[in-house]
């Protein structure tokens, strides 16, 4: 009887964990979500020589970019999308003008969900002339590679766009975070698998404002660079990463 009860309790525990346990409404498999079963932890990318680059990360400015009173010095500025609120053209124009006042060697950005369907999106390269927009594209800079994805809502299974990320990539930019890393457990599982395959030095995202922060798993750094709070006012500082 004791053995039978033990087996039943084990099965119920496993079912509870798989169903999401104490997690929030974004319920996914407990074992998949664990950072400590990730290949990034178990089989991390080999330690690399420093690139000697300072990367400043921001995201989700939503037209409030001028509320960022202090922008830290660095070599590269990365914006992980949602630089407008609902794709307003005038905000994109002013964002580009603001970028032109900053002192970075390179500015790289991707579209967020607020920008991805804007009526002016086809002209974004011209409108945002002070930045390089990556849309499932890579940019090679001084011996390292940055890859930026187009915006996708979280994918439970595969995403062909993420298969385009080369294993030689050092930095991945995606508006939505990878599942399980600075995402409040609401990120993208397909992006997570891609990151675990590529094992970049740095992954920069945003989108989930309440999950902003930085964490390191193995030799990969994850940044959620959202700078606004729930009312879309800037309340957080840029995150600086030295690679």
């Amino acid at each position: 009887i004791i053995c039978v009860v033990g087996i039943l309790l084990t099965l119920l525990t496993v079912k509870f964990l798989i169903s999401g346990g104490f997690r929030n409404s974004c319920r996914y498999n407990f074992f998949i979500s664990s950072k400590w079963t990730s290949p990034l932890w178990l089989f991390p990318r080999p330690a690399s020589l420093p690139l000697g680059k300072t990367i400043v990360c921001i995201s989700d400015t939503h037209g409030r970019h001028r509320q960022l009173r202090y922008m830290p010095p660095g070599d590269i500025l990365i914006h992980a999308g949602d630089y407008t609120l609902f794709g307003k053209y005038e905000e994109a124009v002013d964002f580009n003008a603001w970028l032109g006042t900053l002192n970075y060697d390179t500015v790289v950005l991707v579209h967020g969900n607020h920008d991805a369907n804007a009526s002016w999106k086809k002209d974004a390269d011209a409108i945002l002339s002070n930045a390089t927009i990556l849309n499932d594209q890579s940019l090679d800079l001084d011996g390292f590679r940055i890859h930026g994805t187009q915006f996708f809502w979280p994918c439970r299974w595969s995403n062909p766009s993420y298969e385009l990320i080369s294993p030689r990539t050092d930095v991945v930019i995606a508006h939505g975070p990878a599942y399980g890393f600075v995402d409040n457990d609401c990120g993208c599982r397909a992006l997570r698998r891609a990151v675990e395959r590529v094992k970049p030095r740095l992954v920069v995202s945003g989108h989930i404002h309440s999950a902003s922060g930085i964490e390191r798993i193995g030799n990969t750094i994850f940044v959620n660079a959202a700078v606004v709070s729930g009312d879309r006012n800037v309340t957080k500082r840029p995150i600086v990463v030295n690679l």
Side-chain angles (χ1 to χ4, degrees), residues 213-231:
I214 182 170
E215 64 178 310
R216 185 184 187 116
I217 303 297
N219 290 322
T220 298
I221 299 170
F222 290 84
V223 168
N224 182 319
V227 297
V228 297
S229 55
D231 61 359

Side-chain angles (χ1 to χ4, degrees), residues 7-218:
I7 291 171
L8 289 174
L9 288 174
T10 300
L11 291 174
L12 288 172
T13 301
V14 170
K15 182 178 179 181
F16 174 74
L17 292 175
I18 290 176
S19 68
F22 293 109
R23 293 178 177 272
N24 60 21
S25 60
C26 298
R27 293 181 177 179
Y28 292 132
N29 187 295
F30 174 83
F31 302 102
I32 294 296
S33 71
S34 174
K35 298 175 176 64
W36 317 120
T37 59
S38 170
L40 297 171
W41 173 257
L42 298 174
F43 310 103
R45 67 172 285 141
S48 305
L49 292 174
L51 295 173
K53 298 292 183 182
T54 298
I55 300 179
V56 178
C57 307
I58 58 175
S59 184
D60 297 83
T61 46
H62 289 294
R64 307 291 178 87
H65 41 271
R66 295 188 184 274
Q67 290 184 6
L68 286 165
R69 301 301 184 189
Y70 173 72
M71 290 296 293
D75 303 296
I76 300 168
L77 173 65
I78 289 177
H79 193 298
D82 275 4
Y83 45 89
T84 68
L85 181 63
F86 306 124
K88 295 175 182 175
Y89 173 78
E90 60 274 17
E91 290 181 351
V93 171
D94 188 64
F95 177 62
N96 185 62
W98 177 73
L99 290 178
T101 68
L102 304 180
N103 187 26
Y104 297 101
D105 296 334
T106 305
V107 178
V108 184
L109 63 85
V110 298
H111 296 308
N113 52 296
H114 281 253
D115 324 306
N117 295 317
S119 59
W120 43 263
K121 181 184 174 182
K122 65 181 185 302
D123 300 316
D125 287 332
I127 296 169
L128 297 166
S129 58
N130 290 316
T132 297
I133 304 171
L134 296 180
N135 188 25
D136 286 338
Q137 297 167 306
S138 294
L139 176 67
D140 291 317
L141 291 171
D142 299 329
F144 73 103
R145 175 171 293 181
I146 301 174
H147 184 95
T149 72
Q150 60 177 301
F151 172 73
F152 295 98
W153 294 106
C155 302
R156 190 175 180 85
W157 308 115
S158 62
N159 185 327
S161 289
Y162 296 152
E163 299 306 313
L164 299 175
I165 306 175
S166 165
R168 294 179 49 225
T169 300
D170 295 285
V171 179
V172 173
I173 313 171
H175 179 59
Y179 178 64
F181 304 104
V182 286
D183 72 323
N184 285 353
D185 291 337
C186 293
C188 178
R189 297 172 77 179
L191 179 60
R192 172 169 174 156
R193 284 191 289 271
V195 168
E196 290 176 336
R197 170 181 62 84
V198 175
K199 297 179 181 177
R201 298 174 188 249
L202 174 64
V203 181
V204 184
S205 301
H207 188 54
I208 301 173
H209 302 171
S210 59
S212 60
I214 182 170
E215 64 178 310
R216 185 184 187 116
I217 303 297

